[in-house]
Amino acid sequence: FPSHDMVWYGFEEGMEKAKKEKKVLLVDAYTDWCGWCKVMDRETYKNAEVIAKLNKDFVAVKFNPELDKRYNVDGTTQTGEGLLMWLAQGNPGGYPTSYFVFNPSKNYNRAAQPGYLAPADFIKLLDLVLTKRGS
């Protein structure tokens, strides 16, 4: 039976799971000081419909680029800033930003949606991402 809580993964674990399960990888880039990130956590990521859709069709990763961590990205070791630049294809937005890797089992085609999204808008975005998977 579906979980009523968001299931979050670390980057490497999430990437492997998305590849294995052929799901879309969602990376929620946030920082501790970002007010809109907290609103998104409280409203959007606590929404039952959002949670159900993410847990079914996506693998969700929480990512704070300001933490002093190292990440393995496509065989290279990156800092948080390096991973952010990779996700953002060299052009990061503000926080929060939702990064999508459409089909990581095949390639690293990805897109970004900067800013806070209310649950209804986020659900529309998730549906759009799922239609883009094949392209």
Side-chain angles (χ1 to χ4, degrees), residues 8 10 14 21-22 24-25 38 42 52 59 75 82-83 86-87 117:
W8 292 104
E21 297 179 10
K22 297 189 171 23
V24 178
L25 184 74
K38 292 176 177 66
R42 198 169 55 235
V59 174
L83 175 54
W86 180 83
L87 286 165
L117 289 174

Side-chain angles (χ1 to χ4, degrees), residues 39-47 50 116-119 122:
V39 176
M40 191 137 173
D41 279 340
R42 198 169 55 235
E43 294 179 6
T44 306
Y45 289 125
K46 294 276 192 285
N47 176 282
V50 169
Y116 164 79
L117 289 174
F122 195 63

Side-chain angles (χ1 to χ4, degrees), residues 55-66:
N55 287 346
K56 176 176 177 281
D57 294 316
F58 295 78
V59 174
V61 166
K62 271 271 187 227
F63 168 57
N64 180 345
E66 295 186 340

Side-chain angles (χ1 to χ4, degrees), residues 1 24 48 51 53 57 64-65 70 79 83-85 89-90 113 125 134:
F1 98 111
V24 178
I51 291 168
K53 192 172 281 285
D57 294 316
N64 180 345
R70 296 289 174 272
T79 62
L83 175 54
L84 180 67
M85 291 305 270
Q89 301 179 74
Q113 175 62 57
L125 174 65

Side-chain angles (χ1 to χ4, degrees), residues 4 14 22 48 51 66 70 72 77 92 97 99 105 118 120 124 128-129 132:
H4 295 294
K22 297 189 171 23
I51 291 168
E66 295 186 340
R70 296 289 174 272
N72 183 4
T77 301
T97 295
Y99 293 99
S105 64
K124 281 184 200 142
L128 182 66
V129 166
K132 289 245 190 284

